[in-house]
Amino acid sequence: MSTDPKNLPLIGKVSRIFLLFGMAVEATYIFAEAIGGYYSSSYNYFYNTASELMAIGSDDRLLFAPFYFFHSVMIGLFGYGLVVRFQDTRYHLLSGGGLLLVNVGICYALACTIFPMDPPKTPYSLSGYMHIATVSTGVLSLCIAIPVIGKGMSQ
């Protein structure tokens, strides 16, 4: 398969675009954290979690939830790009790591939209428990995806 972008089939061009999302993913998270911490008077980078910026009843929820949702969509698109680009090659670990990243994106999207965190120092609701479950599943998938993709890159 040619690596010249002009000779790539459409699916190759699209998957390269998805891979570019991977480069921008963390920039969106850092941007959201920096803006969130700056504009929220009670937020402390060392003592609070990012989820507290989007907690139920948070003054800034409507401002920051879209940033985190965009971040999770970009993670999923990057994973999808890995799956599409490497599914029919000998690099099956890269494709499997991509599936794990798609799962990360889905979990984080659910955590910031459907299952927001409960306000600090309040009893947990079903949404709070589901937030913890989806974020934990996403983090576990991410912790597995990193070495899987690393091993896939060394093949």
Side-chain angles (χ1 to χ4, degrees), residues 13-121:
K13 291 178 184 176
V14 171
S15 67
R16 284 190 180 222
I17 291 169
F18 286 139
L19 292 174
L20 290 176
F21 281 110
M23 295 178 202
V25 165
E26 290 312 310
T28 62
Y29 183 80
I30 291 168
F31 181 73
E33 274 293 299
I35 297 297
Y38 180 76
Y39 282 109
S40 179
S41 60
S42 61
Y43 185 77
N44 184 311
Y45 293 110
F46 295 108
Y47 301 114
N48 299 109
T49 65
S51 294
E52 290 180 49
L53 290 171
M54 300 170 293
I56 296 170
S58 171
D59 296 336
D60 303 319
R61 177 168 168 66
L62 292 177
L63 179 63
F64 299 113
F67 281 115
Y68 292 107
F69 181 76
F70 182 64
H71 172 258
S72 62
V73 168
M74 290 182 69
I75 291 172
L77 289 175
F78 174 59
Y80 181 72
L82 285 174
V83 171
V84 170
R85 180 73 176 97
F86 296 108
Q87 69 182 351
D88 294 330
T89 67
R90 66 183 183 99
Y91 300 104
H92 297 292
L93 286 175
L94 288 174
S95 182
L99 284 174
L100 288 166
L101 289 178
V102 169
N103 185 53
V104 170
I106 291 169
C107 288
Y108 288 176
L110 289 172
C112 74
T113 56
I114 298 173
F115 304 120
M117 182 178 171
D118 290 312
K121 300 178 184 172

Side-chain angles (χ1 to χ4, degrees), residues 56 110-111 114-119 122-137:
I56 296 170
L110 289 172
I114 298 173
F115 304 120
M117 182 178 171
D118 290 312
T122 62
Y124 281 123
S125 65
L126 177 61
S127 176
Y129 286 118
M130 291 302 296
H131 180 84
I132 292 169
T134 55
V135 169
S136 298
T137 303

